[in-house]
Amino acid sequence: MTENMTSTSSPCAACKLLRRRCAKGCVFAPYFPADQPLKFASVHKVFGASNVNKLLQELPEHQRGDAVSSMVYEANARVRDPVYGCVGAISSLQQKVAELQAQLAIAQAEIVCLRMYQGSDLITFNTKMTSFSPPVAPSSPSR
Amino acid sequence: MTENMTSTSSPCAACKLLRRRCAKGCVFAPYFPADQPLKFASVHKVFGASNVNKLLQELPEHQRGDAVSSMVYEANARVRDPVYGCVGAISSLQQKVAELQAQLAIAQAEIVCLRMYQGSDLITFNTKMTSFSPPVAPSSPSR
C-alpha cells in the first residue's frame, strides 16, 4: 500500500478501512475522521462506500454534513435492527402520535363536558338563588 | 447473456436489472417480482444489490419480506430526499410528538383548573345556600 499521502495527517477512517490513499480533497475526510472508525464502518456495511461516495458527490458541500449524519443514523439503526432499521423508529413514533392524538381528543372532550357542566351548574345556582329570594316581610302588626 | 433459466417465468426485477440469470432459489425473486422494476431499482441505487443480498441471506426467510419492505421504504425516502432520507420523517414525527405532548399537558392543566373551579363553585354555592336558609317562621300570634 502506497503511503505517499498528500495530506500531512493520518488517512481518514474511510480510506483507512478501504485501504486506499487518502488524497487531498478526499470526499470522505471531512466527515469521517480517523478517530471515529465505527462511523464509516456502519455506513460502509449498510450503504456501501461507493454509494456513499456517489451520494456525497451529487450534493453541494453545505449539505454533505447533514447527509452523512442521516446516513450514519440510518446505518446504525439497520445494524441494531436488520429487519426494520430506522423504519422501526418511524413505526413506533407513528403509534405514539396516534396515542397522543387519542389522549388529546379525550382531554378536549372532557374540557367541553366540564365547561358545559359548569355552565349548567351556574344556571342551577341562579335558579336556586331565585327560588330562595328573601320572602316578603310580613306586614307589621303595629300598622 | 445466457437465458438458460431454471424457472419457467421471466427473471425477477433484480436479476433483470443486474443482467444475470435468475436461478431457482434466487434470494431476490420472492420479493422483487418482474412487474415491479422500480422496487428493486431504488434499493439497488441506495443500498447496492450486494448489500441487500447479504442482508437477506443473514435473515431467516420469515423476516425477509419485512426487511425488504423497510429497505424499499428507506430507499424511496433517500431518493426523494438525498440529504435526510427517512431520518427527515423521524425528525418531523419527533416534533409532532413534542407538540402533541405540550398540547396534552395544557389540556390536562385546564382540566385540573376546571375541576378546582367547579369544586370552589360548589363551596360558594353551598355557602350562599346556607346564608339563604329559610328564616324561622314567626311564632303564631294566635298561640
Side-chain angles (χ1 to χ4, degrees):
Chain A
M1 183 183 163
T2 314
E3 286 297 324
N4 182 21
M5 292 183 46
T6 47
S7 63
T8 51
S9 61
S10 58
C12 73
C15 291
K16 204 166 180 182
L17 192 86
L18 300 171
R19 295 169 184 271
R20 65 178 205 176
R21 195 170 71 91
C22 191
K24 197 175 175 180
C26 161
V27 74
F28 297 123
Y31 316 105
F32 299 105
D35 58 350
Q36 294 175 37
L38 291 177
K39 198 174 163 186
F40 185 75
S42 60
V43 295
H44 176 47
K45 182 180 160 69
V46 173
F47 297 101
S50 155
N51 285 341
V52 178
N53 187 355
K54 215 183 299 170
L55 191 130
L56 291 180
Q57 298 277 12
E58 288 169 359
L59 287 174
E61 277 196 30
H62 72 275
Q63 290 189 310
R64 292 181 188 174
D66 284 345
V68 165
S69 297
S70 69
M71 276 190 286
V72 169
Y73 184 97
E74 259 184 80
N76 286 336
R78 180 67 60 183
V79 168
R80 274 198 309 274
D81 180 354
V83 182
Y84 297 103
C86 73
V87 179
I90 291 178
S91 184
S92 303
L93 282 163
Q94 282 173 335
Q95 208 176 322
K96 181 84 181 159
V97 165
E99 281 169 16
L100 285 166
Q101 281 171 332
Q103 284 176 27
L104 186 61
I106 291 170
Q108 284 169 338
E110 192 172 346
I111 288 170
V112 170
C113 283
L114 281 166
R115 281 183 183 156
M116 277 174 67
Y117 182 77
Q118 210 167 62
S120 70
D121 217 40
L122 279 173
I123 291 163
T124 313
F125 174 72
N126 288 335
T127 312
K128 294 209 176 179
M129 285 292 279
T130 311
S131 69
F132 276 101
S133 57
V136 177
S139 53
S140 170
S142 61
R143 285 191 189 168
Chain B
M1 184 184 164
T2 314
E3 286 296 326
N4 183 21
M5 292 181 47
T6 47
S7 63
T8 51
S9 61
S10 59
C12 73
C15 292
K16 205 167 178 181
L17 191 87
L18 301 171
R19 295 170 184 270
R20 64 177 206 177
R21 194 171 70 92
C22 190
K24 197 174 177 181
C26 161
V27 74
F28 296 124
Y31 316 106
F32 299 104
D35 59 350
Q36 294 175 36
L38 291 176
K39 198 175 164 187
F40 185 77
S42 60
V43 295
H44 177 47
K45 180 179 162 70
V46 173
F47 297 101
S50 153
N51 284 342
V52 177
N53 185 355
K54 216 185 296 169
L55 191 130
L56 290 179
Q57 297 277 12
E58 287 169 0
L59 288 174
E61 278 196 29
H62 72 275
Q63 291 189 311
R64 292 181 188 175
D66 284 344
V68 166
S69 297
S70 69
M71 276 189 287
V72 169
Y73 184 96
E74 259 184 80
N76 286 337
R78 181 66 62 183
V79 169
R80 274 198 309 273
D81 180 354
V83 181
Y84 297 104
C86 73
V87 179
I90 291 178
S91 185
S92 302
L93 282 164
Q94 282 173 335
Q95 208 177 324
K96 181 85 182 157
V97 165
E99 282 169 15
L100 284 166
Q101 281 172 333
Q103 284 177 26
L104 186 61
I106 291 169
Q108 283 169 338
E110 192 173 346
I111 289 170
V112 170
C113 283
L114 282 166
R115 281 185 183 154
M116 277 172 68
Y117 182 76
Q118 211 168 60
S120 70
D121 215 41
L122 279 173
I123 291 165
T124 313
F125 175 72
N126 289 335
T127 311
K128 296 208 174 178
M129 285 292 279
T130 311
S131 70
F132 278 98
S133 58
V136 176
S139 54
S140 170
S142 60
R143 283 191 190 169

XYZ file of all heavy atoms in Angstrom, chain B residues 54-119:
505
model
N -26.705 -9.711 0.876
C -26.042 -10.134 2.112
C -27.017 -10.057 3.284
O -27.124 -10.986 4.084
C -24.838 -9.211 2.377
C -23.643 -9.913 2.997
C -22.540 -8.936 3.334
C -21.945 -8.244 2.120
N -21.055 -7.117 2.444
N -27.741 -8.940 3.369
C -28.668 -8.751 4.482
C -29.771 -9.815 4.461
O -30.106 -10.393 5.493
C -29.275 -7.345 4.422
C -30.056 -6.956 5.677
C -29.611 -5.586 6.189
C -31.544 -6.946 5.453
N -30.296 -10.090 3.249
C -31.361 -11.094 3.157
C -30.845 -12.490 3.518
O -31.514 -13.244 4.218
C -31.966 -11.106 1.748
C -32.803 -9.879 1.367
C -33.330 -9.996 -0.054
C -33.965 -9.674 2.332
N -29.642 -12.797 3.090
C -29.061 -14.123 3.366
C -28.855 -14.333 4.868
O -28.922 -15.459 5.349
C -27.688 -14.267 2.670
C -27.716 -14.201 1.159
C -28.080 -15.524 0.485
O -28.528 -16.457 1.136
N -27.908 -15.574 -0.824
N -28.601 -13.230 5.570
C -28.342 -13.342 7.012
C -29.622 -13.450 7.840
O -29.560 -13.666 9.050
C -27.530 -12.112 7.485
C -26.073 -12.137 7.032
C -25.341 -10.818 7.257
O -25.965 -9.863 7.775
O -24.146 -10.744 6.916
N -30.770 -13.260 7.184
C -32.044 -13.296 7.920
C -32.805 -14.593 7.661
O -32.741 -15.140 6.553
C -32.935 -12.128 7.492
C -32.551 -10.722 7.938
C -33.467 -9.692 7.285
C -32.620 -10.599 9.453
N -33.565 -15.061 8.658
C -34.432 -16.220 8.380
C -35.517 -15.815 7.379
O -35.886 -14.634 7.322
C -35.041 -16.539 9.756
C -34.885 -15.312 10.580
C -33.692 -14.568 10.033
N -35.992 -16.796 6.597
C -36.927 -16.475 5.499
C -38.161 -15.703 5.943
O -38.632 -14.812 5.232
C -37.341 -17.754 4.768
C -36.307 -18.180 3.746
C -36.832 -19.194 2.749
O -38.041 -19.184 2.462
O -36.019 -19.994 2.270
N -38.682 -16.022 7.157
C -39.934 -15.375 7.574
C -39.754 -13.885 7.896
O -40.731 -13.170 8.052
C -40.552 -16.115 8.771
C -39.804 -15.914 10.057
N -38.713 -16.680 10.427
C -39.984 -15.022 11.068
C -38.265 -16.262 11.591
N -39.016 -15.271 12.022
N -38.501 -13.418 7.977
C -38.279 -11.994 8.255
C -37.869 -11.210 7.000
O -37.767 -9.984 7.047
C -37.184 -11.837 9.319
C -37.624 -12.319 10.704
C -36.622 -11.962 11.781
O -35.424 -12.219 11.616
N -37.093 -11.407 12.875
N -37.622 -11.907 5.939
C -37.097 -11.234 4.735
C -38.092 -10.281 4.077
O -37.705 -9.222 3.590
C -36.614 -12.278 3.712
C -35.385 -13.026 4.194
C -34.894 -14.039 3.174
N -33.830 -14.869 3.754
C -33.268 -15.895 3.145
N -33.656 -16.232 1.925
N -32.310 -16.591 3.741
N -39.368 -10.652 4.084
C -40.393 -9.780 3.489
C -40.430 -8.425 4.183
O -40.449 -7.378 3.524
N -40.402 -8.455 5.536
C -40.424 -7.194 6.299
C -39.149 -6.394 6.050
O -39.187 -5.166 5.949
C -40.558 -7.472 7.805
C -41.982 -7.855 8.181
O -42.890 -7.616 7.364
O -42.189 -8.380 9.288
N -38.006 -7.107 5.972
C -36.728 -6.425 5.736
C -36.749 -5.729 4.376
O -36.316 -4.576 4.244
C -35.571 -7.414 5.818
N -37.292 -6.412 3.363
C -37.370 -5.807 2.023
C -38.283 -4.586 2.059
O -37.925 -3.516 1.542
C -37.854 -6.840 0.968
C -38.276 -6.149 -0.333
C -36.759 -7.855 0.675
N -39.449 -4.722 2.726
C -40.383 -3.579 2.797
C -39.719 -2.369 3.445
O -39.859 -1.240 2.956
C -41.628 -3.951 3.610
O -42.318 -4.982 2.971
N -39.000 -2.610 4.549
C -38.384 -1.472 5.244
C -37.238 -0.880 4.414
O -37.056 0.337 4.383
C -37.907 -1.874 6.645
O -36.813 -2.749 6.579
N -36.508 -1.730 3.686
C -35.421 -1.205 2.841
C -35.979 -0.407 1.661
O -35.426 0.629 1.286
C -34.526 -2.339 2.337
C -33.461 -2.730 3.360
S -32.233 -3.871 2.679
C -33.194 -5.350 2.605
N -37.091 -0.884 1.094
C -37.716 -0.156 -0.027
C -38.207 1.205 0.472
O -38.000 2.229 -0.189
C -38.874 -0.985 -0.656
C -39.696 -0.148 -1.636
C -38.323 -2.226 -1.343
N -38.793 1.204 1.668
C -39.283 2.464 2.258
C -38.124 3.444 2.454
O -38.199 4.609 2.070
C -39.954 2.150 3.599
C -40.585 3.341 4.285
C -41.934 3.616 4.141
C -39.823 4.198 5.089
C -42.516 4.712 4.767
C -40.392 5.298 5.715
C -41.732 5.542 5.549
O -42.299 6.627 6.177
N -37.040 2.933 3.055
C -35.857 3.773 3.304
C -35.260 4.281 2.004
O -34.871 5.451 1.891
C -34.793 2.947 4.035
C -34.734 3.204 5.528
C -33.607 2.442 6.181
O -32.444 2.883 6.109
O -33.895 1.381 6.762
N -35.159 3.368 1.029
C -34.534 3.738 -0.245
C -35.350 4.805 -0.961
O -34.786 5.792 -1.457
C -34.379 2.496 -1.123
N -36.673 4.626 -0.978
C -37.527 5.637 -1.644
C -37.408 6.986 -0.951
O -37.381 8.023 -1.615
C -38.995 5.174 -1.648
C -39.232 4.057 -2.654
O -38.478 3.902 -3.607
N -40.261 3.265 -2.445
N -37.327 6.951 0.394
C -37.181 8.205 1.146
C -35.856 8.881 0.794
O -35.789 10.096 0.640
C -37.265 7.932 2.645
N -34.812 8.093 0.639
C -33.484 8.655 0.312
C -33.459 9.190 -1.121
O -32.799 10.186 -1.398
C -32.395 7.586 0.537
C -30.969 7.984 0.270
C -30.406 9.042 1.191
N -30.363 8.654 2.595
C -29.951 9.466 3.568
N -29.546 10.688 3.308
N -29.965 9.070 4.825
N -34.183 8.525 -2.023
C -34.247 9.013 -3.414
C -34.988 10.352 -3.446
O -34.554 11.291 -4.121
C -34.915 7.963 -4.346
C -35.227 8.552 -5.708
C -34.015 6.733 -4.491
N -36.093 10.418 -2.680
C -36.876 11.673 -2.629
C -36.088 12.787 -1.948
O -36.120 13.929 -2.369
C -38.167 11.457 -1.813
C -39.340 10.917 -2.580
C -40.632 11.157 -1.800
N -40.570 10.695 -0.421
C -40.839 9.475 -0.001
N -41.203 8.556 -0.867
N -40.751 9.144 1.258
N -35.384 12.440 -0.853
C -34.670 13.441 -0.063
C -33.251 12.941 0.218
O -32.990 12.298 1.226
C -35.433 13.674 1.257
C -34.759 14.705 2.144
O -33.651 15.172 1.808
O -35.329 15.056 3.198
N -32.322 13.237 -0.721
C -30.954 12.697 -0.596
C -30.209 13.187 0.654
O -29.254 12.550 1.070
C -30.258 13.197 -1.867
C -31.328 13.604 -2.797
C -32.467 14.048 -1.938
N -30.636 14.291 1.232
C -29.923 14.813 2.410
C -30.381 14.130 3.700
O -29.554 13.661 4.492
C -30.091 16.348 2.541
C -29.324 16.874 3.747
C -29.609 17.035 1.279
N -31.682 14.039 3.902
C -32.176 13.495 5.176
C -32.795 12.103 5.075
O -32.941 11.430 6.092
C -33.187 14.472 5.800
C -32.545 15.794 6.132
C -32.744 16.917 5.344
C -31.696 15.908 7.232
C -32.122 18.121 5.635
C -31.075 17.102 7.523
C -31.299 18.213 6.726
O -30.671 19.395 7.025
N -33.189 11.666 3.882
C -33.812 10.353 3.727
C -34.953 10.191 4.714
O -35.657 11.159 5.020
N -35.136 8.994 5.265
C -36.269 8.804 6.166
C -35.970 9.354 7.560
O -36.858 9.368 8.418
C -36.739 7.363 6.190
S -35.664 6.271 7.037
N -34.754 9.828 7.800
C -34.444 10.485 9.077
C -35.219 11.804 9.157
O -35.564 12.266 10.243
C -32.923 10.682 9.247
C -32.588 11.380 10.550
C -32.216 9.333 9.180
N -35.551 12.362 7.978
C -36.389 13.566 7.925
C -37.763 13.277 8.492
O -38.317 14.082 9.251
N -38.305 12.082 8.153
C -39.622 11.685 8.667
C -39.550 11.488 10.184
O -40.457 11.879 10.907
C -40.083 10.399 7.992
N -38.445 10.897 10.658
C -38.267 10.679 12.113
C -38.252 12.022 12.823
O -38.909 12.210 13.849
C -36.974 9.877 12.386
C -37.152 8.442 11.878
C -36.617 9.890 13.874
C -35.953 7.557 12.037
N -37.518 12.965 12.241
C -37.411 14.286 12.836
C -38.780 14.978 12.902
O -39.149 15.538 13.938
C -36.435 15.091 11.986
O -36.186 16.326 12.550
N -39.551 14.907 11.799
C -40.894 15.510 11.778
C -41.789 14.851 12.813
O -42.539 15.533 13.513
C -41.550 15.329 10.412
O -40.769 15.885 9.430
N -41.711 13.517 12.903
C -42.571 12.799 13.853
C -42.192 13.141 15.291
O -43.051 13.296 16.152
C -42.486 11.286 13.611
C -43.294 10.769 12.422
C -42.851 9.374 12.022
C -44.786 10.746 12.750
N -40.878 13.280 15.561
C -40.443 13.635 16.919
C -40.977 15.017 17.294
O -41.394 15.247 18.424
C -38.919 13.609 17.007
C -38.364 12.186 17.127
C -36.856 12.120 17.040
O -36.217 13.002 16.458
N -36.264 11.073 17.604
N -40.979 15.926 16.299
C -41.504 17.270 16.519
C -43.009 17.211 16.791
O -43.512 17.879 17.687
C -41.239 18.092 15.257
C -41.092 19.577 15.516
C -40.752 20.328 14.238
O -40.020 19.820 13.388
N -41.301 21.508 14.087
N -43.701 16.382 16.024
C -45.149 16.208 16.185
C -45.448 15.665 17.586
O -46.385 16.129 18.248
C -45.649 15.253 15.092
C -47.129 14.970 15.096
C -47.894 16.016 14.341
C -49.397 15.782 14.379
N -50.153 16.988 14.139
N -44.652 14.674 18.026
C -44.841 14.084 19.366
C -44.663 15.162 20.434
O -45.470 15.280 21.351
C -43.869 12.896 19.597
C -43.781 12.506 21.073
C -44.297 11.681 18.781
N -43.622 15.980 20.283
C -43.359 17.044 21.262
C -44.511 18.042 21.302
O -44.950 18.454 22.381
C -42.051 17.742 20.920
N -45.037 18.412 20.109
C -46.165 19.350 20.043
C -47.402 18.777 20.718
O -48.071 19.449 21.498
C -46.520 19.656 18.574
C -45.583 20.640 17.897
C -45.806 20.710 16.391
O -46.855 20.219 15.899
O -44.920 21.237 15.702
N -47.683 17.493 20.419
C -48.867 16.855 21.000
C -48.730 16.720 22.515
O -49.693 16.916 23.248
C -49.093 15.474 20.360
C -49.684 15.489 18.955
C -49.563 14.142 18.292
C -51.160 15.902 19.003
N -47.503 16.402 22.991
C -47.278 16.286 24.433
C -47.528 17.636 25.110
O -48.116 17.686 26.190
C -45.865 15.780 24.713
C -45.741 14.266 24.525
C -44.321 13.746 24.603
O -43.373 14.482 24.301
N -44.161 12.498 24.984
N -47.095 18.714 24.451
C -47.299 20.053 25.013
C -48.789 20.390 25.046
O -49.300 20.885 26.049
C -46.538 21.080 24.182
N -49.490 20.093 23.945
C -50.940 20.362 23.883
C -51.688 19.551 24.940
O -52.612 20.048 25.581
C -51.487 19.998 22.498
C -51.142 21.010 21.417
C -51.636 20.570 20.049
O -52.585 19.822 19.919
N -50.981 21.034 19.009
N -51.253 18.287 25.125
C -51.904 17.418 26.112
C -51.674 17.949 27.522
O -52.593 17.967 28.345
C -51.361 15.987 25.974
C -52.021 14.912 26.822
C -53.506 14.772 26.478
C -51.338 13.564 26.619
N -50.447 18.427 27.777
C -50.128 18.973 29.103
C -51.002 20.196 29.390
O -51.538 20.335 30.496
C -48.651 19.340 29.169
N -51.188 21.058 28.374
C -52.037 22.247 28.539
C -53.485 21.823 28.811
O -54.138 22.338 29.721
C -51.949 23.151 27.282
C -50.549 23.790 27.201
C -53.031 24.224 27.292
C -50.250 24.490 25.898
N -53.962 20.842 28.026
C -55.346 20.375 28.187
C -55.548 19.776 29.576
O -56.550 20.053 30.240
C -55.674 19.354 27.103
N -54.562 18.981 30.041
C -54.693 18.354 31.358
C -54.659 19.403 32.467
O -55.368 19.286 33.465
C -53.609 17.294 31.540
C -53.945 16.020 30.762
C -52.818 15.016 30.676
O -51.641 15.372 30.833
N -53.141 13.766 30.413
N -53.844 20.448 32.280
C -53.788 21.528 33.266
C -55.132 22.253 33.299
O -55.624 22.618 34.376
C -52.668 22.494 32.905
N -55.750 22.422 32.122
C -57.056 23.090 32.062
C -58.116 22.259 32.771
O -58.972 22.810 33.474
C -57.432 23.329 30.593
C -58.621 24.278 30.476
C -58.942 24.706 29.048
O -58.114 24.487 28.158
O -60.034 25.253 28.852
N -58.016 20.939 32.618
C -58.979 20.045 33.288
C -58.858 20.202 34.804
O -59.859 20.318 35.511
C -58.749 18.569 32.847
C -59.210 18.400 31.398
C -59.469 17.594 33.770
C -58.832 17.078 30.761
N -57.612 20.232 35.291
C -57.372 20.392 36.737
C -57.988 21.718 37.202
O -58.702 21.759 38.212
C -55.851 20.322 37.048
C -55.571 20.738 38.482
C -55.326 18.921 36.785
N -57.735 22.800 36.438
C -58.266 24.119 36.801
C -59.787 24.106 36.828
O -60.404 24.609 37.765
C -57.803 25.172 35.798
S -56.115 25.663 36.062
N -60.395 23.500 35.769
C -61.863 23.470 35.695
C -62.455 22.688 36.858
O -63.458 23.095 37.441
C -62.302 22.850 34.356
C -62.208 23.775 33.144
C -62.335 22.998 31.846
C -63.315 24.834 33.201
N -61.771 21.569 37.221
C -62.269 20.755 38.347
C -62.152 21.531 39.655
O -63.044 21.479 40.490
C -61.481 19.451 38.441
C -61.962 18.427 37.425
C -61.246 17.115 37.618
N -61.632 16.137 36.626
C -60.884 15.130 36.241
N -59.691 14.963 36.766
N -61.323 14.276 35.343
N -61.010 22.243 39.814
C -60.823 23.040 41.033
C -61.861 24.142 41.095
O -62.458 24.401 42.130
C -59.418 23.659 41.053
C -58.353 22.712 41.559
S -56.728 23.423 41.347
C -56.805 24.774 42.529
N -62.120 24.796 39.961
C -63.067 25.896 39.885
C -64.461 25.386 40.220
O -65.206 26.013 40.968
C -63.045 26.490 38.471
C -63.953 27.664 38.279
C -63.600 28.903 38.787
C -65.169 27.528 37.609
C -64.445 29.989 38.622
C -66.011 28.600 37.445
C -65.647 29.836 37.943
O -66.477 30.901 37.776
N -64.760 24.179 39.652
C -66.054 23.557 39.907
C -66.209 23.267 41.400
O -67.258 23.500 41.979
C -66.127 22.257 39.130
C -67.504 21.878 38.694
C -67.428 20.762 37.697
O -66.920 19.692 38.014
N -67.896 21.002 36.506
N -65.100 22.783 42.018
C -65.114 22.479 43.457
C -65.375 23.747 44.254
O -66.266 23.789 45.103
